[in-house]
Amino acid sequence: MNLLLLSPDDLINPQQAKIAGRQLQHIQQIYNSNVGDTLNIGLINGNMGNGTISYLGADHVIIDDIQLNTPPPPKLPITLLLALPRPKMLRRVFQTIATMGVSKLILINSYKVEKSFWQTPFLTTENITQQLLLGLEQAKDTVFPEVQFKKRFKPFVEDELPILCQSSQNYIAHLGDYLPCPSLPNQPITLAIGPEGGWIDYEVNKLTHLGFTPIQLGQRILRVETAVTALLTKLYY
Amino acid sequence: MNLLLLSPDDLINPQQAKIAGRQLQHIQQIYNSNVGDTLNIGLINGNMGNGTISYLGADHVIIDDIQLNTPPPPKLPITLLLALPRPKMLRRVFQTIATMGVSKLILINSYKVEKSFWQTPFLTTENITQQLLLGLEQAKDTVFPEVQFKKRFKPFVEDELPILCQSSQNYIAHLGDYLPCPSLPNQPITLAIGPEGGWIDYEVNKLTHLGFTPIQLGQRILRVETAVTALLTKLYY
């Protein structure tokens, strides 16, 4: 947690906040903070700055003199179409895309996504929000990425994707003898990343028909979370 | 597991292997394989190829007709000096550096590394080997990275590092107004990556004195595993 990210509910007034729960624990146990210490503060979807601990108890901490004058870092202008990863990967994927600065994540179905993955409790709004929050607090960012689900591949690709991707450069990450992933800082991009077992030909064909260009990162097969980080880095960093 | 990585002990003869334990479970439960199926096979520190399941039982699987004619992918010519991450990060870091193709990892001490981190059971040879194996099986590689520990920063940097880094380009990843991380495919590099709280000035000065150039990846603060992936991608991919 490099930033204490506050929700409007945490504010007593614009200069004062009362915090409990996980963030209190972190302030006590990881920061080892004391009264008088200054903390990096951000307001969800707002500015960043700092505040000073004026009270630190077992139940809550009070932060005073909150000044929020720094805008959050810019987002990457990317829409990530990600085949739903297996549940144990999901939490880290949400954290990673928030930390790296993705604007929009669309979790989509794919032939090699097991149906049971869509039932995981990690996909509740509450759990997703919690993981995105951790990712933003890591990066020092305040703005949540948008997250959507599309549980049916064909209707999404045929009916929604053509409009969604019409003003971006569009790529599909795929193993094989394709163009190396380019570097395109500041360009709006829609990038499709497949499931563990990869895309099937039908899916690649549907996306290339829409103008998605297959790209690759070399012969090593990366875990989904590593692939997401590597592709975002190559495109934007 | 995209490659079944065999140790010499698994071989009954050069064309036949007997496998039990985790790899057997994976073949049964994730691959759902049957007798007659072909598997991607590699021999630790050797070639890659395939083999055919000739027996599949509750206790073990027999793989026949093993042909290993493909060399493993080249390693990245990098020595990573990584401040020891907190234990819960370690397993994924070992997997990631093996998957990405790092040649040599040196875990070093740093002011902000908690002393207790050095006591974790994740640092036993057996546990490290297991995580590196998982990373190699993910990537389809057979060659283990070399892993070393240096528990004292100053003697390592003063006495050993000058020789170790004399024929590489040398960088220290650090937050701040530094050179963006360059792209240097195929170049021998020694790269130092700090702990969660970052390097202290003393450490940065010691390394820059040795000719390490500070580099950065932007203002977002990345988790250690994400930073490792992003820096390796930027340098080599």
Side-chain angles (χ1 to χ4, degrees):
Chain A
M1 187 168 87
N2 296 301
L3 183 77
L4 178 66
L5 197 45
L6 305 179
S7 75
D9 290 350
D10 297 323
L11 293 177
I12 300 166
N13 63 57
Q15 275 77 49
Q16 194 179 48
K18 179 179 171 182
I19 304 291
R22 174 188 60 84
Q23 291 173 324
L24 169 65
Q25 275 194 339
H26 196 100
I27 290 167
Q28 290 174 319
Q29 292 167 19
I30 310 285
Y31 289 172
N32 291 314
S33 296
N34 296 305
V35 169
D37 285 358
T38 300
L39 299 178
N40 293 317
I41 309 266
L43 186 62
I44 287 174
N45 293 324
N47 276 349
M48 310 190 299
N50 55 54
T52 304
I53 297 176
S54 62
Y55 170 83
L56 184 57
D59 284 352
H60 67 273
V61 54
I62 301 282
I63 299 164
D64 266 306
D65 300 325
I66 295 177
Q67 304 285 339
L68 303 176
N69 300 316
T70 309
K75 283 277 188 263
L76 309 178
I78 193 167
T79 297
L80 205 58
L81 309 180
L82 185 65
L84 182 68
R86 63 173 61 243
K88 71 170 186 170
M89 306 275 189
L90 260 179
R91 283 185 298 182
R92 286 204 305 278
V93 168
F94 285 128
Q95 287 184 35
T96 300
I97 64 115
T99 297
M100 300 281 291
V102 167
S103 298
K104 187 171 177 178
L105 172 68
I106 304 181
L107 292 168
I108 63 174
N109 200 31
S110 156
Y111 185 79
K112 292 187 182 165
V113 169
E114 291 180 30
K115 281 204 172 59
S116 64
F117 293 177
W118 288 105
Q119 309 307 321
T120 173
F122 295 131
L123 287 181
T124 62
T125 304
E126 189 185 347
N127 284 334
I128 293 174
T129 303
Q130 184 63 19
Q131 300 308 319
L132 295 176
L133 186 71
L134 292 173
L136 294 175
E137 287 184 340
Q138 168 67 43
K140 285 193 170 182
D141 189 359
T142 69
V143 182
F144 277 79
E146 188 183 337
V147 176
Q148 296 182 3
F149 312 129
K150 301 294 171 181
K151 295 192 188 180
R152 295 174 64 213
F153 181 84
K154 191 165 173 254
F156 168 67
V157 170
E158 290 183 353
D159 304 338
E160 299 182 59
L161 189 55
I163 295 152
L164 197 145
C165 73
Q166 68 188 354
S167 50
S168 58
Q169 296 195 44
N170 305 317
Y171 296 100
I172 173 172
H174 198 44
L175 281 172
D177 191 14
Y178 299 112
L179 190 74
C181 178
S183 171
L184 297 163
N186 307 317
Q187 290 291 318
I189 290 170
T190 302
L191 171 67
I193 302 180
E196 260 176 50
W199 301 107
I200 61 170
D201 289 346
Y202 168 81
E203 293 163 343
V204 176
N205 291 340
K206 289 296 271 185
L207 289 168
T208 52
H209 243 81
L210 277 182
F212 280 67
T213 304
I215 53 171
Q216 49 82 24
L217 270 180
Q219 67 186 113
R220 293 175 179 274
I221 306 174
L222 307 180
R223 275 181 305 164
V224 58
E225 186 202 352
T226 311
V228 166
T229 301
L231 288 160
L232 293 174
T233 302
K234 193 77 182 152
L235 289 168
Y236 288 113
Y237 276 65
Chain B
M1 186 168 90
N2 297 301
L3 183 78
L4 177 67
L5 198 44
L6 306 178
S7 75
D9 290 349
D10 297 322
L11 293 176
I12 299 164
N13 65 57
Q15 275 78 49
Q16 195 177 48
K18 179 178 172 181
I19 304 291
R22 173 188 60 83
Q23 292 173 322
L24 169 63
Q25 275 193 337
H26 197 100
I27 290 168
Q28 290 173 320
Q29 292 167 18
I30 310 285
Y31 289 172
N32 292 313
S33 295
N34 296 304
V35 169
D37 286 358
T38 300
L39 299 177
N40 293 319
I41 310 266
L43 186 63
I44 288 174
N45 293 324
N47 277 349
M48 311 191 298
N50 54 55
T52 304
I53 297 176
S54 62
Y55 170 84
L56 184 57
D59 284 353
H60 67 273
V61 53
I62 302 283
I63 299 163
D64 265 306
D65 300 325
I66 295 176
Q67 305 284 339
L68 303 175
N69 299 316
T70 309
K75 283 276 188 264
L76 309 179
I78 193 167
T79 296
L80 205 59
L81 309 180
L82 184 66
L84 183 67
R86 64 173 61 241
K88 70 170 184 169
M89 306 275 189
L90 260 179
R91 283 185 298 182
R92 286 205 305 279
V93 167
F94 286 127
Q95 288 184 35
T96 300
I97 65 113
T99 297
M100 300 282 290
V102 167
S103 299
K104 187 171 177 177
L105 171 68
I106 304 180
L107 292 168
I108 64 175
N109 200 32
S110 157
Y111 186 78
K112 292 187 183 165
V113 169
E114 290 179 32
K115 281 205 171 61
S116 64
F117 293 176
W118 287 106
Q119 309 306 322
T120 172
F122 296 129
L123 287 180
T124 62
T125 303
E126 191 185 346
N127 285 333
I128 293 175
T129 303
Q130 185 63 19
Q131 299 307 320
L132 295 175
L133 187 70
L134 291 173
L136 294 174
E137 287 184 340
Q138 168 67 43
K140 285 191 169 182
D141 189 0
T142 70
V143 181
F144 276 79
E146 188 182 338
V147 176
Q148 294 183 3
F149 312 130
K150 301 294 170 181
K151 296 191 189 182
R152 295 174 64 212
F153 181 85
K154 189 164 175 254
F156 169 66
V157 169
E158 290 184 353
D159 303 337
E160 299 182 59
L161 189 55
I163 296 151
L164 197 144
C165 73
Q166 69 188 356
S167 49
S168 57
Q169 296 194 45
N170 305 316
Y171 295 100
I172 173 171
H174 198 42
L175 282 172
D177 191 14
Y178 299 112
L179 191 73
C181 178
S183 171
L184 296 164
N186 307 316
Q187 289 291 319
I189 291 169
T190 302
L191 170 66
I193 301 179
E196 261 176 50
W199 300 108
I200 60 169
D201 289 347
Y202 168 82
E203 293 163 343
V204 176
N205 291 340
K206 289 295 273 188
L207 290 168
T208 53
H209 242 83
L210 277 182
F212 280 67
T213 304
I215 53 172
Q216 50 82 23
L217 270 181
Q219 66 185 115
R220 292 176 180 275
I221 306 174
L222 308 179
R223 275 181 305 164
V224 59
E225 186 203 352
T226 310
V228 166
T229 301
L231 287 160
L232 293 174
T233 302
K234 193 78 181 147
L235 288 168
Y236 288 113
Y237 275 65

